[in-house]
């Protein structure tokens, strides 16, 4: 799901404290434009709401189309995708979920401090560059549509680069670092929720466990320097096929729009250390009347 990858890159542009509310934008959005989001952090729970504008009785009203919850306790715990229109909860990453059977891997992320600074949100931010690379498990990338005995024929390489503007000494710095460290310590493997879905922008809505792992490493390292408030990420997936099934496999991947460059820009436009309504986290449960399903 593209929502999930945007959530992870949104975390790179968030600040955090015991209670915090952040408004921001992410692009490209779910439909190829610019998405607006509001992020909430309360203790060790984080929620990201994707906002859309609807016209109701002749007035434009902001509504929450879907949400992502990240929590370490509760039932269920992990990364949850909430579709409010369909009243469904998808558990896309369970707590301490094992990565058994994955053939992909990523290198540790490298973080480089630069001398470039700029003013963001009234504070001086410094640019940090980051990068990591590796290989992606084709089973997860294709929504488990690739038979296991054919997966060795498909090689998918991943290279991620980006930059993040970080503000040191801002309120919530320690809490943010603690949350990111806890994210890094818990193996919440994120894959596709319900298989590949073609977006309006011509890309499959996907994220691999390897990309998830690399982004969590970047978040954890950046938080040691301060609060990231603006981030650009470029994820390049290069498909290299081998064997007699190459033509068939390439055709399938082309149909799923897998491969190529995936740019993402996330900007925090407002940061407030204000109390967050505990009801946003459903007391560790799920909203009344919603059904739950798990990533297959």
């Amino acid at each position: 799901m593209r929502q999930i990858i945007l959530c992870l890159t949104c975390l790179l542009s968030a600040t955090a404290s015991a209670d915090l509310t952040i408004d921001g934008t992410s692009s490209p959005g779910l439909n190829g434009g610019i998405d607006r989001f509001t992020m909430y952090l309360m203790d060790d729970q984080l929620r990201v709401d994707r906002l859309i504008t609807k016209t109701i009785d002749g007035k434009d009203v902001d509504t929450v189309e879907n949400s992502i919850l990240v929590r370490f306790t509760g039932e269920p715990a992990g990364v949850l995708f909430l579709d409010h229109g369909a009243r469904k909860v998808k558990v896309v990453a369970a707590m301490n979920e094992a990565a058994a059977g994955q053939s992909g891997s990523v290198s540790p992320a490298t973080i480089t401090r630069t001398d470039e600074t700029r003013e963001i949100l009234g504070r001086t931010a410094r640019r940090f560059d980051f990068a990591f690379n590796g290989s992606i498990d084709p089973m997860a990338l294709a929504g488990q549509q690739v038979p296991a005995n054919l997966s060795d024929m498909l090689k998918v390489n991943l290279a991620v680069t980006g930059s993040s503007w970080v503000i040191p000494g801002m309120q919530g710095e320690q809490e943010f670092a603690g949350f990111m460290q806890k994210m890094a310590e818990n193996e919440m493997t994120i894959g596709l929720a319900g298989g590949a879905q073609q977006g309006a922008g011509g890309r499959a809505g996907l994220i691999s466990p390897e990309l998830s792992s690399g982004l969590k490493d970047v978040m954890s390292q950046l938080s040691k320097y301060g609060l990231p408030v603006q981030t650009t990420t470029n994820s390049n997936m290069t498909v290299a096929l081998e064997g007699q099934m190459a033509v068939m496999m390439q055709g399938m991947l082309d149909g799923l729009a897998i491969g190529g460059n995936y740019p993402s820009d996330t900007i925090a436009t407002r940061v407030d250390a204000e109390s967050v309504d505990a009801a946003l986290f459903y007391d560790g449960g799920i909203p009344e009347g919603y059904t739950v399903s798990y990533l297959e």
Side-chain angles (χ1 to χ4, degrees):
M1 283 185 169
R2 178 163 288 190
Q3 294 98 326
I4 307 298
I5 190 170
L6 289 179
C7 171
L8 288 169
T9 52
C10 282
L11 288 174
L12 286 168
S13 299
T15 61
S17 72
D19 274 25
L20 196 80
T21 301
I22 307 109
D23 293 331
T25 61
S26 291
S27 61
L30 181 61
N31 295 316
I34 298 177
D35 275 357
R36 293 177 297 120
F37 67 85
T38 298
M39 183 179 296
Y40 306 95
L41 184 74
M42 187 182 71
D43 299 324
D44 64 349
Q45 301 179 92
L46 185 140
R47 169 174 170 152
V48 183
D49 288 344
R50 178 175 179 266
L51 305 175
I52 61 173
T53 301
K54 291 185 176 180
T55 301
I56 301 176
D57 296 330
K59 296 181 180 180
D60 290 340
V61 179
D62 283 342
T63 60
V64 179
E65 183 174 48
N66 50 57
S67 302
I68 293 172
L69 292 183
V70 181
R71 63 190 185 192
F72 305 105
T73 59
E75 183 57 44
V79 180
L80 318 179
F81 178 78
L82 282 69
D83 184 336
H84 298 295
R87 299 175 69 82
K88 294 181 178 179
V89 177
K90 185 76 157 184
V91 182
V92 297
M95 280 292 297
N96 298 317
E97 183 179 84
Q102 292 177 10
S103 62
S105 63
V106 294
S107 65
T110 60
I111 307 293
T112 304
R113 180 183 185 273
T114 76
D115 293 329
E116 188 176 354
T117 62
R118 66 167 61 161
E119 185 173 299
I120 301 177
L121 298 176
R123 304 287 295 271
T124 299
R126 181 176 298 276
R127 196 189 89 218
F128 287 78
D129 295 333
F130 58 86
F132 61 89
N133 57 68
S135 63
I136 294 178
D137 180 358
M139 294 290 286
L141 193 61
Q144 298 184 355
Q145 296 180 39
V146 181
N149 62 338
L150 298 180
S151 64
D152 288 342
M153 298 182 182
L154 175 61
K155 307 297 180 183
V156 181
N157 301 317
L158 171 69
V160 178
T161 60
S163 61
S164 186
W165 295 89
V166 178
I167 300 176
M170 198 172 181
Q171 184 176 4
E173 182 176 86
Q174 293 183 355
E175 288 83 1
F176 176 72
F179 187 88
M180 292 299 99
Q181 181 62 34
K182 200 164 187 178
M183 279 280 291
E185 291 171 353
N186 287 275
E187 293 298 329
M188 295 184 290
T189 302
I190 301 174
L192 285 172
Q197 298 179 11
Q198 191 73 15
R203 295 287 193 184
L206 58 86
I207 184 170
S208 72
E210 296 78 23
L211 181 56
S212 167
S213 175
L215 288 173
K216 286 194 295 182
D217 186 15
V218 170
M219 293 181 237
S220 179
Q221 290 196 52
L222 283 176
S223 67
K224 298 175 182 178
Y225 299 97
L227 299 174
V229 292
Q230 184 172 330
T231 300
T232 300
T233 302
N234 289 288
S235 305
N236 192 58
M237 299 181 188
T238 304
V239 178
L241 297 177
E242 300 175 1
Q244 61 181 356
M245 300 296 292
V247 176
M248 183 272 289
M249 299 291 281
Q250 183 65 64
M252 182 195 71
L253 292 173
D254 289 344
L256 294 173
I258 293 175
N261 189 59
Y262 292 78
S264 177
D265 292 291
T266 308
I267 301 172
T269 57
R270 183 180 70 95
V271 177
D272 282 330
E274 57 187 38
S275 296
V276 172
D277 185 359
L280 291 170
F281 298 95
Y282 311 111
D283 294 322
I286 62 171
E288 185 176 354
Y290 284 49
T291 59
V292 180
S293 60
Y294 290 80
L295 180 66
E296 297 177 355

